[in-house]
Amino acid sequence: THSWHTHPGLGEVDDDASNKDAEETDEPSPKVSRSLSRRGTGSISFGEEAPTCCERIKDKIRKICTAIFGSSDRIQISPKWDRLRKWTAHTLNLHLFEGGMGCVIIFNIMLILIETNRRLECDANNIPIESSACSANDPDI
């Protein structure tokens, strides 16, 4: 018996003809993946099968983790170094460490801006900066 089926966008496809071609050669037949879009047009691609949804999510998570926890090679680690020195160099190379240092710097800049603003208010109100009445000297900064 001869088997035919209709594939959207491709017309009729002869399943038996493609099987005979694969049987006549010693090479393994390529994997064929078929996909349908919402409009009903189909496509056939040869090669590896498309990754599943879970594989795509895992790949994206892996890329995000590499971006966060990945490292640069600014400090070249020598094999002669002891274990603590290698660990320190690896930690200093982490993108996460650099990001954390950036957050600390931004936080310090915010504190400097708050203190500067308070000193400006004391100066505008003719309050001596050294006195306890000036809010720039409060212990919360």
Side-chain angles (χ1 to χ4, degrees):
T1 62
H2 202 73
S3 113
W4 289 85
H5 73 274
T6 303
H7 191 273
L10 297 176
E12 292 184 344
V13 178
D14 184 1
D15 284 340
D16 290 337
S18 62
N19 289 339
K20 287 180 187 175
D21 292 340
E23 291 172 2
E24 292 174 3
T25 62
D26 292 335
E27 298 176 12
S29 62
K31 293 181 182 177
V32 178
S33 63
R34 297 178 179 150
S35 63
L36 297 175
S37 69
R38 292 179 187 223
R39 295 184 185 183
T41 59
S43 65
I44 295 179
S45 61
F46 293 93
E48 295 183 18
E49 292 184 21
T52 64
C53 182
C54 290
E55 290 171 346
R56 286 187 301 226
I57 292 172
K58 285 180 185 177
D59 188 48
K60 286 184 182 189
I61 290 172
R62 191 175 301 117
K63 286 180 183 179
I64 291 170
C65 288
T66 301
I68 293 173
F69 299 109
S71 63
S72 62
D73 291 330
R74 289 185 303 144
I75 301 174
Q76 299 296 325
I77 298 174
S78 172
K80 296 178 184 177
W81 290 354
D82 63 343
R83 198 167 146 192
L84 180 62
R85 188 172 180 184
K86 287 180 183 179
W87 179 84
T88 304
H90 178 70
T91 302
L92 292 175
N93 279 337
L94 288 177
H95 296 303
L96 185 64
F97 179 79
E98 292 178 17
M101 287 289 97
C103 290
V104 168
I105 291 168
I106 290 172
F107 178 71
N108 283 333
I109 289 173
M110 289 173 47
L111 291 178
I112 290 169
L113 291 174
I114 292 170
E115 183 181 357
T116 304
N117 188 33
R118 287 184 178 183
R119 289 197 187 277
L120 182 64
E121 288 175 6
C122 291
D123 195 34
N125 295 329
N126 293 327
I127 301 173
I129 295 175
E130 297 83 19
S131 74
S132 60
C134 180
S135 62
N137 296 326
D138 289 346
D140 63 341
I141 297 282

